[in-house]
Amino acid sequence: MGQVNGSRTIRLRERIKSVRIQATATQFQNNTPSTITLKAIPYNFTAVSYAWYKGTGTTVVGTNQNFIVANTQVTTVETYRVVVKNNQNQEYEDVISISKVVDGPQGRPGQLPIQREWVAGDAYRNNDEVVDYIYHRATDSWWKLKSGYNNVTAQINPTNEFIRLNSMEQLAVNLLIVENANIAGFVFKDQQMVSQSPTPANPNLVLDGVNGQLKAMKGQIGEFNINEGLEYNKQGFRIVGLQAKAYQKFFRFDRDGLKLINDDWYNGMFCSENESGFMQCNIGNNHNVRYEIETGGVDYYMKIFGTGKYRNETYKAALWIQAVAHAVDAILIERGGMTIKNGDLNIKNGVLRVNGRIIS
């Protein structure tokens, strides 16, 4: 067997330096709380000075790591900016907004859209409280009263007081997303929504609505976990022979490749090699079979391991690859070789070719 030689290059990357503002709250509800404390957290550098600014002002209003905002200092919304310097006189800054909600009088309801069918003699409305959208069945079209008309009695067909709609109007509310607004710990910056204070317990999360990207350190989607790779790990119990048998189905993708484990229980015939080296097959209901497949190892591309063989009407192996036709390669090894330890190479219903020649 030949030896595989290779080299590995290690590159050290500088950790990104930044500062984030942590807040005990981001909104005053009437007179609660009385104060909100802001704290500047430097990441990957040592701070030597802090400077706090209010709004767009250029006057320093605080020089400590913590800054206290009083309830009386915010009327509706106010922004606070911190500039932090390191020992190389480099500056890092972050901005946060603090809002205030005050209970006011009950507002009047908006205009309520009502869908109706055109009936001659009915009165239709378009006022501050109600607007009627009327379906004219004879012409298969939708209508409503023009602006300035209200309580108009309908004729058999629409008259000049009505306007035809090319399509059913959509009611929408225009929202203004303010830069640096804070929503439940997320901050809008550069058309992205970023978690306010990433920590090991709260990893950095970025939602990019422009480029359609999601960046997260870890998370869970259904039964899949994302934590330095994509992982699926399902465990449970299977009833075999009136007994509960533990099983596991696991696979993981990460920078080291793929790792697949299937550990289950079967009824039927189970064959394994005994201490004397002979195959011994037993029929029963408590046969445990474990298969493992790994890729990306130091001295192999793919490693397959199985604790036994299960035989009945079908044959279950650690790896089963089927080509589209007999003449098409199911496995192609372009470089490198194949090592089989303590095993055999069995070719069933096929031939062994070496350099195009058939070896009997």
Side-chain angles (χ1 to χ4, degrees):
M1 296 302 295
Q3 184 176 359
V4 177
N5 296 321
S7 61
R8 178 176 293 178
T9 302
I10 300 177
R11 296 182 177 89
L12 296 178
R13 294 187 299 178
E14 183 181 1
R15 302 179 69 182
I16 297 176
K17 301 175 183 178
S18 63
V19 63
R20 291 289 178 88
I21 299 175
Q22 284 186 346
T24 55
T26 58
Q27 188 177 81
F28 292 108
Q29 299 281 347
N30 293 316
N31 297 324
T32 305
S34 59
T35 62
I36 290 177
T37 300
L38 308 181
K39 184 176 182 180
I41 306 296
Y43 290 91
N44 303 318
F45 75 93
T46 301
V48 296
S49 68
Y50 299 88
W52 291 89
Y53 301 88
K54 181 178 180 180
T56 58
T58 58
T59 302
V60 177
V61 295
T63 57
N64 296 324
Q65 184 179 12
N66 291 350
F67 182 77
I68 297 177
V69 181
N71 187 297
T72 56
Q73 293 176 317
V74 178
T75 304
T76 54
V77 64
E78 190 61 75
T79 59
Y80 292 89
R81 178 171 61 97
V82 65
V83 178
V84 183
K85 289 185 179 181
N86 61 9
N87 54 9
Q88 298 177 347
N89 207 33
Q90 295 173 325
E91 295 184 347
Y92 304 90
E93 67 176 72
D94 193 22
V95 180
I96 191 173
S97 62
I98 304 297
S99 59
K100 187 173 186 179
V101 176
V102 179
D103 293 338
Q106 179 68 36
R108 60 172 299 172
Q111 191 181 45
L112 180 66
I114 302 294
Q115 294 185 16
R116 300 173 61 181
E117 184 160 350
W118 192 281
V119 177
D122 281 0
Y124 296 112
R125 302 155 295 178
N126 184 10
N127 53 48
D128 292 338
E129 296 180 353
V130 178
V131 56
D132 289 322
Y133 288 85
I134 314 111
Y135 176 65
H136 191 255
R137 186 171 297 276
T139 56
D140 190 23
S141 57
W142 286 88
W143 299 75
K144 77 170 186 176
L145 282 170
K146 295 178 181 178
S147 178
Y149 290 92
N150 183 40
N151 288 329
V152 175
T153 300
Q155 306 299 318
I156 296 178
N157 294 311
T159 53
N160 291 334
E161 297 88 349
F162 295 85
I163 182 172
R164 180 172 178 171
L165 306 178
N166 293 327
S167 60
M168 194 61 186
E169 289 187 350
Q170 296 182 356
L171 302 178
V173 177
N174 293 324
L175 299 178
L176 175 63
I177 299 178
V178 182
E179 187 77 359
N180 297 317
N182 187 297
I183 300 178
F186 289 89
V187 180
F188 287 94
K189 288 188 176 181
D190 301 326
Q191 302 185 58
Q192 295 180 347
M193 188 165 70
V194 184
S195 56
Q196 177 184 337
S197 180
T199 64
N202 175 28
N204 193 13
L205 173 65
V206 177
L207 300 176
D208 190 333
V210 176
N211 299 312
Q213 294 179 347
L214 168 64
K215 297 179 182 179
M217 295 293 293
K218 64 180 181 180
Q220 181 173 346
I221 302 176
E223 294 182 331
F224 293 88
N225 288 312
I226 303 173
N227 188 3
E228 297 181 356
L230 182 63
E231 181 178 301
Y232 173 79
N233 189 357
K234 185 175 183 180
Q235 303 180 29
F237 292 90
R238 185 185 301 277
I239 303 300
V240 179
L242 301 180
Q243 296 183 7
K245 304 289 186 177
Y247 73 91
Q248 180 186 26
K249 297 183 182 298
F250 170 85
F251 77 79
R252 177 186 176 93
F253 287 97
D254 57 24
R255 64 186 63 182
D256 296 325
L258 163 69
K259 184 173 183 180
L260 170 66
I261 297 177
N262 184 64
D263 192 346
D264 210 340
W265 294 80
Y266 297 97
N267 287 318
M269 182 178 293
F270 182 83
C271 300
S272 60
E273 186 177 288
N274 59 24
E275 296 179 354
S276 301
F278 296 101
M279 291 296 295
Q280 181 177 350
C281 297
N282 298 306
I283 297 178
N285 58 9
N286 59 350
H287 301 321
N288 174 241
V289 181
R290 180 183 177 91
Y291 298 116
E292 296 184 14
I293 299 176
E294 295 184 41
T295 66
V298 177
D299 56 351
Y300 58 85
Y301 288 111
M302 178 176 289
K303 182 179 180 181
I304 304 172
F305 170 79
T307 60
K309 303 172 184 177
Y310 165 70
R311 294 178 181 271
N312 200 351
E313 296 180 357
T314 60
Y315 172 70
K316 293 180 181 291
L319 180 65
W320 185 301
I321 299 178
Q322 179 174 321
V324 295
H326 291 290
V328 178
D329 291 332
I331 300 177
L332 174 62
I333 302 176
E334 186 172 353
R335 292 187 179 184
M338 179 183 295
T339 300
I340 302 175
K341 295 182 180 180
N342 301 323
D344 300 324
L345 179 63
N346 297 322
I347 300 176
K348 298 180 179 181
N349 301 324
V351 297
L352 176 62
R353 298 177 184 270
V354 178
N355 292 330
R357 298 178 57 187
I358 299 177
I359 306 300
S360 59

